[in-house]
Amino acid sequence: MSARPTGAGGPPPPLPDRPRLLVLENGEKAPPTFSREEMERRLSRLRGWMRETAVDACLFTSIHNVNYFADYVYCSFGRHYGLVVDHDAHTLVNANLDYGRPWRRSRADTLAYTDWHADNFFVAVRSLCPARGRIGVEIDHLTCAARGKLEAALPGARFVDASDATMRIRMIKSREEQALIRDGAAIADLGGAACVEAIAENAPEHEVALHATRAMWREIARRYPDCELMDTWTWFQSGINTDGAHNPVTTRRVARGDVLSLNCFPMISGYYHALERTLFFDHVPDEALAPWEVNCAVHRRGIQLIRPGARCRDIAHALNAIYDEHGLLDYRTFGYGHSFGTLCHYYGREAGLELREDVETVLEPGMVVSMEPMITVPEGRPGAGGYREHDMLIVTEDGAENLTRFPFGPEHNVVGA
């Protein structure tokens, strides 16, 4: 006779009488990333849109909007997180396992949900949202399963998409945001210098990347001693690994004549910054010089084109013409740049502000965009490899301020020659 667990085949034992929701205030509030006036400015713009569209409350579930409106970067780990904003209050809904961190770190009120019962997140949302109101949600972020549970929790509510409106709000960076982004660009430059410092013959990609990342971590800690240190990283690629913009670091070792791609990404309180450069180790093979120089020419022209009043699609078409003139247009791999702010490689994207042929957005003062042309010459062809440059720029009243100081091009970035 086989052993059988106690209670097998019968109903599960009843749950203890445990709370579904908790208010957890543990410790003292941490110094905020932005001033109270800055956070109120953001909420004021959001509530203005809510009044115009008769939205009673918004439920934000994405990392980028929760961070933007509450100064809190959550770690979901398979759980739901959200921020409910109505016309009088905003409340972060977080998992109990984070305990006091959400209250200490966010600029919102907090309400924790426990694991004692299924779907307590939606119980929390129901307690904060009007039962029959118009609720703004991020249609592009809600899964089908989450949407179904939300509709069941608020059967009398009507859901309105807030994704595009909040993206437009985030596109224009305030003076405080611009100041943080300037620091981030400078830290990326520092990471680039550390990357170059570590490049040597036979050096593994991962060791070069580690050296750059450590330098950026330390500089963020020095400039922002009260912030959480999270998510800063480096991609350093060599040889064939340079063919994609987002190829991860490997153990491949640097060899003489290799094309190299330096990519430094310091993160400060959920705000993303980037430096990307093409380099060669020891020397540039003759067949590689022409595509590198053309890509640099596109980069220079692109920087000149970033100005208020310029339309994203027009910038893309103008740069396409340069590649086409040199027979390299087929080697272009993606658009020419994108917005910056609260985003990362695993969350957030202001798709309405990308320098692509299908984007009609007109650049305005306060927008922050990259110029990052890239071409990839396939393996087996002369000059094979990926060529990519990347600068960050703030659109001003009469042009653009380039925040990136790290040099680019063959005259600067042949390492170990």
Side-chain angles (χ1 to χ4, degrees), residues 202-210 234-244 246-254 258 261 263:
N202 213 35
E205 290 178 0
H206 70 277
E207 290 293 343
V208 177
L210 282 170
T234 301
W235 282 325
F236 174 72
Q237 302 131 347
S238 62
I240 194 171
N241 293 338
T242 63
D243 66 344
H246 298 158
N247 292 354
V249 171
T250 74
T251 58
R252 186 186 184 278
R253 294 176 180 270
V254 173
D258 267 353
S261 187
N263 309 268

Side-chain angles (χ1 to χ4, degrees), residues 185-206:
I187 294 168
D189 285 346
L190 185 149
C195 197
V196 170
E197 181 180 72
I199 295 171
E201 187 173 13
N202 213 35
E205 290 178 0
H206 70 277

Side-chain angles (χ1 to χ4, degrees), residues 294-314:
V294 170
N295 203 58
C296 288
V298 172
H299 188 55
R300 290 188 188 92
R301 181 57 179 151
I303 291 170
Q304 294 171 349
L305 292 174
I306 293 176
R307 62 185 187 278
R311 192 169 54 164
C312 291
R313 62 175 296 180
D314 294 337

Side-chain angles (χ1 to χ4, degrees), residues 234-296:
T234 301
W235 282 325
F236 174 72
Q237 302 131 347
S238 62
I240 194 171
N241 293 338
T242 63
D243 66 344
H246 298 158
N247 292 354
V249 171
T250 74
T251 58
R252 186 186 184 278
R253 294 176 180 270
V254 173
R256 294 182 184 277
D258 267 353
V259 58
L260 309 173
S261 187
L262 173 163
N263 309 268
C264 293
F265 307 108
M267 295 286 295
I268 306 171
S269 298
Y271 274 66
Y272 167 88
H273 312 87
L275 166 71
E276 300 172 10
R277 286 291 184 260
T278 300
L279 310 96
F280 276 81
F281 181 65
D282 185 66
H283 67 280
V284 186
D286 292 341
E287 62 273 17
L289 189 58
W292 191 8
E293 288 182 332
V294 170
N295 203 58
C296 288

